[in-house]
Amino acid sequence: MRILMVEASGRGFLCHYAHALCLGLHEAGHKVTLITGMRDELIDWKVPFEKLACLKTGRHGWRCLKREIKRLQPDAVHLQWIDNPLSAIAFVYWAKRQGIRVIYTPHNILPHRARWLNMPAYRILYHLVDRIVARDRHIAWGLEEIFDAPRRKTVFLAGSPNLLAHPTLPPASSCAGLVELPGKQTGEFRLLFFGHGCRRKGLDLLLQALGNKNWPSHLHLVVAGEEVLRGIDANSISKLRNRLHTTVINRYVPPVAVSALLREADLMLMPYVKQCKSPLMDMAAAFCLPVLRSDRVKGASFTEGLHGLTIPHDDIAELQKGIEKLTVEPERLQRMRMAMESEETVLDAIRRLSEEHIRLYTELCGVSFRKSSGTFSLVKT
């Protein structure tokens, strides 16, 4: 089959998810093309499938997409996320006139901004596309209960393989490219707070919890991410450095360096105050990195005591106790790592996710498997 995958951001989880799915489809023998954003952060990763980074915001992006559809003549177009439902509705009508099936994976059922104003348009979009892929049960529930999306159109395909853990990603050692961060020392224990800056991710609570006592010299806090200090008083960082070895990387971190950050960390800290389902949970699990999270953080798959520990949100005392508990018992973290190593590998996760999508595409596009001379071929029906 000819599949056109569309992911417009070119950054972060959505970009990595789309690349992983395309890789699996390609390895299964299908012709897949990825159209991604012009800020493609994986441009240095040589992928075996066709890729074009041409999507801009506004009309230029949709024009690029239509141009590539006319060139490639795909059987199906799979949209990974859109933030302008009106433009998407117009595109779906256009694609249907070309005889092309359209699949949509809403990684959130509504955007974070102007969500209530956008609800009527998203309702139209969910009823218009040929299939909707729900990555978890909560999204599937929301599609049916909030938008009355037809159950026959919604397909539950769980999984979020983390491309940063893929063995073919360009290697990095000692957090290459991060001049702010020295190489990890023998016996050093690294605490990692990572992600795009947001006032409700609990960094201010973390700084207060860590600033209330003196910590052993082998502990090292790494705070990294684009605008990670948003809403944080600079004095709190200065005060903390008197109590704990602290490194701040307040800027965009490229994927290879993110991979190195996760490999060298001993514990990820997620003291979020806001309620969210974070892809960082799956990313940490892919690197067998235990997580200390608040009860406001959800993950696609999290087992208490195996993937980490959960503490009440907005509770500085419990946050401090959780950090103390895990930093003084390194053997407990080691048991967690060993348990995670026995879970599904990133290669197996990519293979499983692509196989489930292939079944979706074949059913939707009117393609059946025909066995001939010991091999299987795809035949239009």
Side-chain angles (χ1 to χ4, degrees):
M1 287 177 293
R2 299 183 303 276
I3 306 299
L4 182 62
M5 198 72 60
V6 184
E7 193 288 304
S9 71
R11 296 246 176 144
F13 167 74
L14 294 181
C15 172
H16 303 169
Y17 177 91
H19 276 76
L21 180 53
C22 287
L23 181 62
L25 294 172
H26 169 81
E27 291 175 343
H30 299 280
K31 182 174 176 58
V32 59
T33 302
L34 174 61
I35 308 296
T36 189
M38 297 190 69
R39 301 189 309 164
D40 178 22
E41 68 177 9
L42 292 175
I43 191 170
D44 294 328
W45 188 50
K46 304 304 179 184
V47 295
F49 50 84
E50 183 178 5
K51 181 171 74 167
L52 180 64
C54 73
L55 296 183
K56 300 179 181 179
T57 57
R59 290 174 295 176
H60 297 288
W62 294 107
R63 287 173 183 169
C64 169
L65 180 55
K66 289 181 178 180
R67 185 170 60 249
E68 292 307 308
I69 288 175
K70 292 176 181 178
R71 177 178 71 89
L72 297 166
Q73 295 295 305
D75 298 304
V77 174
H78 194 155
L79 305 174
Q80 285 300 317
W81 169 246
I82 57 98
D83 58 5
N84 186 331
L86 296 177
S87 297
I89 289 169
F91 167 76
V92 175
Y93 275 120
W94 177 86
K96 284 178 174 288
R97 289 196 297 269
Q98 317 304 312
I100 297 170
R101 303 287 192 173
V102 180
I103 302 100
Y104 179 43
T105 299
H107 295 273
N108 287 307
I109 60 174
L110 284 169
H112 295 299
R113 296 179 180 177
R115 57 177 58 192
W116 306 121
L117 292 175
N118 282 314
M119 278 190 69
Y122 273 99
R123 179 184 174 86
I124 295 172
L125 177 64
Y126 286 132
H127 284 256
L128 186 61
V129 295
D130 295 290
R131 289 293 185 276
I132 310 168
V133 175
R135 288 185 46 250
D136 62 55
R137 298 291 184 188
H138 299 285
I139 288 178
W141 179 90
L143 290 168
E144 183 175 354
E145 292 294 318
I146 299 175
F147 295 97
D148 195 27
R151 184 175 295 182
R152 60 180 175 80
K153 284 190 174 186
T154 303
V155 184
F156 174 58
L157 301 181
S160 51
N162 190 271
L163 202 66
L164 295 185
H166 198 281
T168 64
L169 189 74
S173 59
S174 300
C175 297
L178 299 180
V179 296
E180 304 93 332
L181 187 61
K184 190 173 184 179
Q185 303 298 310
T186 303
E188 178 183 333
F189 188 106
R190 279 194 182 173
L191 304 166
L192 176 63
F193 181 96
F194 173 75
H196 194 280
C198 174
R199 291 176 180 268
R200 300 179 63 205
K201 287 187 176 179
L203 179 57
D204 55 340
L205 298 178
L206 175 63
L207 297 179
Q208 291 180 55
L210 293 173
N212 286 340
K213 62 170 291 182
N214 292 317
W215 297 88
S217 60
H218 68 282
L219 291 187
H220 181 187
L221 172 66
V222 178
V223 178
E226 192 170 10
E227 299 184 24
V228 71
L229 295 183
R230 181 191 298 178
I232 301 299
D233 182 4
N235 291 330
S236 60
I237 295 288
S238 300
K239 292 178 181 178
L240 178 60
R241 286 195 168 109
N242 296 325
R243 302 260 187 178
L244 175 67
H245 181 197
T246 303
T247 298
V248 177
I249 307 170
N250 188 23
R251 62 179 175 86
Y252 167 74
V253 181
V256 173
V258 172
S259 175
L261 273 177
L262 292 164
R263 293 184 192 280
E264 295 192 356
D266 296 287
L267 178 65
M268 178 173 279
L269 304 173
M270 300 183 70
Y272 289 18
V273 176
K274 71 171 186 173
Q275 186 163 340
C276 69
K277 182 162 286 188
S278 174
L280 285 180
M281 300 283 290
D282 301 319
M283 183 184 296
F287 287 90
C288 301
L289 176 61
V291 177
L292 179 63
R293 66 170 188 171
S294 79
D295 53 11
R296 306 285 283 179
V297 184
K298 308 300 179 185
S301 176
F302 184 89
T303 302
E304 188 72 13
L306 189 156
H307 297 99
L309 297 181
T310 306
I311 58 172
H313 71 280
D314 206 9
D315 191 325
I316 295 176
E318 288 298 317
L319 177 57
Q320 186 183 81
K321 289 178 183 178
I323 296 172
E324 289 177 335
K325 181 186 298 183
L326 292 175
T327 55
V328 300
E329 298 181 29
E331 64 280 356
R332 186 173 189 176
L333 292 177
Q334 186 58 30
R335 288 196 298 269
M336 292 181 184
R337 286 184 176 273
M338 292 176 64
M340 283 188 274
E341 287 173 357
S342 65
E343 295 188 321
E344 185 179 50
T345 68
V346 63
L347 297 179
D348 290 336
I350 289 174
R351 187 179 304 111
R352 176 179 54 80
L353 188 66
S354 62
E355 288 173 353
E356 292 173 344
H357 277 78
I358 290 168
R359 283 194 289 271
L360 165 64
Y361 300 147
T362 54
E363 181 271 333
L364 181 60
C365 297
V367 178
S368 64
F369 288 96
R370 176 178 296 172
K371 190 172 183 179
S372 175
S373 302
T375 62
F376 287 92
S377 59
L378 288 171
V379 181
K380 282 282 187 180
T381 59

